């Protein structure tokens, strides 16, 4: 692999595994590789490390360890929560969620629709916020579960889960939140959040990929999604991913301690990055609310250029950022999140997400800012839609933009048909 430095601004896609986490995990790959369900000591001794990791992950969200079910990822946790609600109440066949959830939810809910379930995808406001009254009105007698994310992975916008769970309780409906983006960035307390289910994924908090957890509130009925052995107290079959679970436990401990760094130093870096871009590069816009937002995320629209072109040029410099989420990269479709916020296809396709983390330094931000204006300027100089194009006095630029929007909208419409 290359020795070149990476300037990593994609912490909402995944995070570097913390050295402390690697260190905690190694003994469980090298020496203590027994099966925690085995009766002999070589296996059984491992079980107590799984349990102490469970206690740490529980502490991160102020839950009881018995409320923590380890899964393979955030996607599985989300699927499992919704699946459980539907299987447990066969008469209730309606799910309420939002149009801006992670594809782990959006695509699962679309699958459910094909299987005859009904799903309401709540729209969002232009700043990415949710109309709580609309949410309340969308709950029906046959609604099994409301699943709304705590923080959006593309914009960082926060949803008021306390209020949402209170509405759910008053209507006797289960409530799930995808909190994958939040550990280390905000304090988490399942008691005050008031939800029945909450999902986390370890690779978003400096632990390895392939391990997640679902919080299942005590006395909330749960139907397993992965069915097999009696692991996880009968709530999730499959031999425990011991090393990853131990790593998750250590990462949970670290995340509790990084909340203040994220909210002071990292927030300061994010704000400097965002404010400098918005104030020094013309025709740029922030996507999403300014205040009700994670401290590490900024999503910026660079008008008249393609985000993909910006990302390619950044990549040549070793800078990692993204458009939309990692899970939708590769498709030319504009982000479903930005589209739901009402951005035109052209603006959505000109938007870049920078997500910072505890390993970012002020020098990283300087490096990015040093190159950003030139990259955007160079691309605009060859974009016929841009006021910076040298020949733009020779044609009607407004008409060119309108035609481009219409072409994009038509191409999207044809794809959907
Ligand atoms: C990354 C992410 C997921 C998916 O987690 P995986 O462990 O990669 O399956 C779900 N929801 C949100 C908000 C995410 O950012």
């Amino acid at each position: 692999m290359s020795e070149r430095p990476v300037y990593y601004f994609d912490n909402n896609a995944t995070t570097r595994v913390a050295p402390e986490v690697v260190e905690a995990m190694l003994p469980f790959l090298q020496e203590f590789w027994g099966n925690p369900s085995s009766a002999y000591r070589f296996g059984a001794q491992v079980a107590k490390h799984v349990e102490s990791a469970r206690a740490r992950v529980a502490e991160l969200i102020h839950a009881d360890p018995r409320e923590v079910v380890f899964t393979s990822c955030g996607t599985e946790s989300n699927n499992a929560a919704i699946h459980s609600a539907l299987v447990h109440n066969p008469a209730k066949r309606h799910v309420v969620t939002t149009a801006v959830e992670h594809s782990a939810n959006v695509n699962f809910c679309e699958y459910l629709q094909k299987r005859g379930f009904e799903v309401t995808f709540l729209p969002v406001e232009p700043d990415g916020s949710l109309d709580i009254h609309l949410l309340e009105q969308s709950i029906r007698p046959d609604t099994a579960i409301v699943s709304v994310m705590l923080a959006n992975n593309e914009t960082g916008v926060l949803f008021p889960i306390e209020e949402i769970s209170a509405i759910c309780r008053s209507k006797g409906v289960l409530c799930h939140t995808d909190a994958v983006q939040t550990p280390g960035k905000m304090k988490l307390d399942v008691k005050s959040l008031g939800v029945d289910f909450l999902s986390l994924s370890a690779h978003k908090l400096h632990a390895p990929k392939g391990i997640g957890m679902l919080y299942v509130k005590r006395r909330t009925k749960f139907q397993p999604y992965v069915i097999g052995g009696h692991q996880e107290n009968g709530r999730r079959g499959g031999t425990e991913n011991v090393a990853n679970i131990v790593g998750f436990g250590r990462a949970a401990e670290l995340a509790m301690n990084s909340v203040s760094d994220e909210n002071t130093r990292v927030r300061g870096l994010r704000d400097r990055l965002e404010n400098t871009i918005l104030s020094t590069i013309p025709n740029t816009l922030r996507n999403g609310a300014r205040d009700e937002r994670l401290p590490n995320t900024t999503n910026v629209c660079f008008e008249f250029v393609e985000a993909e072109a910006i990302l390619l040029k950044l990549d040549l410099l070793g800078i990692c950022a993204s458009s939309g989420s990692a899970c939708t990269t590769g498709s030319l479709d504009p982000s479903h999140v930005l589209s739901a916020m009402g951005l035109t296809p052209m603006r959505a396709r000109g938007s870049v997400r920078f997500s910072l983390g505890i390993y970012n330094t002020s020098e990283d931000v300087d490096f990015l800012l040093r190159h950003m204006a030139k990259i955007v300027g160079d691309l605009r100089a060859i974009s016929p839609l841009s006021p910076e194009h040298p020949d733009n006095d020779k044609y009607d630029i407004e008409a060119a933009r309108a035609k481009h929007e219409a072409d994009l909208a038509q191409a999207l419409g044809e794809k959907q048909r």
Side-chain angles (χ1 to χ4, degrees), residues 290-361:
R290 194 190 62 169
D291 296 327
E292 289 299 299
R293 187 166 54 139
L294 291 173
N296 78 314
T297 308
T298 176
N299 192 311
V300 181
C301 168
F302 299 88
E303 289 210 271
F304 321 125
V305 285
E306 296 278 343
E308 295 307 316
I310 296 177
L311 295 175
L312 280 172
K313 286 182 177 270
L314 291 174
D315 189 19
L316 293 174
L317 296 163
I319 299 172
C320 309
S322 70
S323 63
S325 72
C327 312
T328 47
T329 308
S331 72
L332 285 176
D333 300 351
S335 139
H336 70 282
V337 174
L338 300 180
S339 300
M341 288 160 64
L343 268 76
T344 65
M346 188 168 81
R347 280 194 170 160
R349 283 173 40 138
S351 295
V352 177
R353 175 187 73 185
F354 302 98
S355 48
L356 287 74
I358 51 170
Y359 293 116
N360 280 118
T361 63

Side-chain angles (χ1 to χ4, degrees), residues 30 33 244 300:
Q30 293 172 325
W33 43 262
N244 276 11
V300 181

